[in-house]
Amino acid sequence: MRVVSGIQPTGKPHLGNYLGAIVNYVKLQDEAQAAGGECLIFLADLHAISMPHKPAVLHAATLEMVATLVACGVDPAKAILFNQAQVPAHAEMQWLLNGTARMGWLNRMTQWKDKAGKNREGASAALFTYPVLQAADVLLYQATHVPVGEDQKQHLELARDIAQKFNNDFATEDAPVFTLPDPYIPEDAARIMSLRDGTKKMSKSDPSDMSRINLTDTTDEMAQKVKKAKTDPEPLPSELAGLDGRAEALNLVTIFAALAGSNPQAVLAEYGGQGFGQFKPALAELLVSVLEPIRDRFVALKDDRESLDAILARGASQARELAGPTLDQAYTALGLVR
């Protein structure tokens, strides 16, 4: 078992990142270690430059994300934690795979259409080709499993298509260069929505800070955001079906269940019939109890540049060692003289 996953170091990490991705990183590192495998978690700083960015902000955000992941329980002794920019093999492998990827495949990528919008001529070439870098990110390490949400399944399918075509064109059936990775979709991955609009995902880019719980928020800020979260006048139902059409109510119940390590139906069994005047204070108390220790660890670590640099350097060294053999095989398979 070799698990590979990346996270973009952009913006402040929030509750949605924690419950939707980082909690699962902690589970995956433990599962991979128990299975005698590896778990690689990288900061996708090369991906970040596919969109307009400020260099100083990206630099600071990369270090902050390392502090966030470690504060949330990612253990550099169990997982290989690094950033792409310290492992040049990612960029090298992307170029080698660009020869196999097809324009038609990339044109069909939903995220390319969404992010480029109507101004495709003005979008960067990196935005168009970054799914090839994503393929390189996982194929480079012979990943067996890649954690993906619904919005990334298409990109993993592309990585499999690229791997299959490369193997068909430049390798033999008995000795393929690349492993075709399988998606890893955690059954309990929580989809956390905005506190202002339950139909939209909680997002770093939302202009309203009240729409999200940042992992850096103070105890008072967390409590205030829960108190002011959008709801409806109806009490909580006792059955999950009673939340149909009540996006904001469902979101708060989902958050409570994820923080408690429970499920929405169990939360409703306890709080069904109660109004939000009773439920919100209970949610705020639970939220603070879970996030306060994380925030404190983050604050202690975020300015410890020596520790953050050491974590990234160690992880990058391990990643370069793992990536080397596959990169060499790809160069050889393509007939390149080195």
Side-chain angles (χ1 to χ4, degrees):
M1 184 179 186
R2 184 172 286 172
V3 182
V4 178
S5 185
I7 185 168
Q8 286 229 29
T10 51
K12 289 182 179 177
H14 55 70
L15 184 67
N17 301 135
Y18 174 63
L19 294 176
I22 301 174
V23 163
N24 284 312
Y25 286 162
V26 177
K27 291 179 184 174
L28 280 169
Q29 72 178 10
D30 293 339
E31 285 179 20
Q33 189 181 49
E38 291 100 4
C39 179
L40 292 89
I41 298 169
F42 65 88
L43 305 180
D45 49 0
L46 294 182
H47 284 289
I49 65 172
S50 66
M51 297 289 282
H53 78 287
K54 294 178 179 177
V57 173
L58 174 59
H59 187 273
T62 301
L63 294 169
E64 277 200 3
M65 185 58 81
V66 182
T68 299
L69 292 172
V70 174
C72 289
V74 173
D75 184 350
K78 294 180 180 178
I80 298 173
L81 178 58
F82 64 100
N83 61 308
Q84 286 172 307
Q86 292 199 52
V87 186
H90 285 253
E92 287 185 70
M93 185 62 86
Q94 181 195 18
W95 184 255
L96 299 185
L97 296 179
N98 273 340
T100 296
R102 291 294 177 257
M103 295 282 286
W105 297 355
L106 297 176
N107 261 320
R108 286 193 289 274
M109 294 294 109
T110 304
Q111 286 206 353
W112 155 247
K113 297 173 187 175
D114 291 346
K115 288 188 176 182
K118 294 179 180 177
N119 185 29
R120 293 194 187 181
E121 295 297 316
S124 72
L127 184 62
F128 184 66
T129 61
Y130 93 92
V132 185
L133 178 56
Q134 282 190 315
D137 293 334
V138 297
L139 299 180
L140 191 55
Y141 299 104
Q142 305 290 352
T144 58
H145 296 84
V146 179
V148 287
E150 286 298 320
D151 58 342
Q152 292 294 334
K153 283 173 73 175
Q154 189 184 30
H155 286 170
L156 186 62
E157 288 164 8
L158 176 74
R160 289 174 59 90
D161 289 342
I162 291 172
Q164 188 65 68
K165 180 168 173 51
F166 190 101
N167 287 341
N168 290 346
D169 292 351
F170 303 111
T172 64
E173 198 172 327
D174 295 337
V177 173
F178 297 118
T179 300
L180 272 61
D182 288 322
Y184 179 95
I185 304 173
E187 293 177 16
D188 55 352
R191 186 173 168 82
I192 305 302
M193 313 306 278
S194 164
L195 298 180
R196 310 305 296 163
D197 181 351
T199 64
K200 295 179 180 176
K201 278 182 73 173
M202 188 175 285
S203 170
K204 303 167 188 172
S205 58
D206 193 308
S208 171
D209 195 59
M210 295 301 289
S211 69
R212 59 188 168 269
I213 304 287
N214 300 305
L215 297 187
T216 52
D217 283 345
T218 65
T219 299
D220 287 344
E221 285 171 335
M222 291 181 205
Q224 278 295 105
K225 288 179 180 181
V226 171
K227 183 180 178 181
K228 294 185 177 181
K230 185 179 176 184
T231 50
D232 56 47
E234 299 299 318
L236 287 171
S238 298
E239 299 293 331
L240 207 50
L243 290 176
D244 287 349
R246 300 176 64 187
E248 284 78 21
L250 174 62
N251 187 38
L252 294 189
V253 170
T254 300
I255 291 171
F256 193 107
L259 289 167
S262 178
N263 61 73
Q265 182 54 60
V267 175
L268 293 178
E270 183 176 353
Y271 290 95
Q274 295 186 20
F276 286 100
Q278 295 162 288
F279 183 68
K280 281 184 173 180
L283 174 57
E285 186 179 344
L286 175 61
L287 185 71
V288 168
S289 72
V290 173
L291 293 191
E292 194 172 39
I294 291 172
R295 189 200 62 227
D296 291 347
R297 286 197 296 272
F298 168 78
V299 170
L301 189 57
K302 74 180 178 70
D303 295 322
D304 186 352
R305 181 63 191 271
E306 190 176 338
S307 293
L308 297 178
D309 283 345
I311 289 168
L312 289 178
R314 179 171 179 263
S317 175
Q318 292 172 294
R320 288 193 295 268
E321 190 174 335
L322 285 176
T326 302
L327 185 65
D328 288 344
Q329 286 178 50
Y331 271 110
T332 300
L334 289 167
L336 295 165
V337 176
R338 300 180 78 199

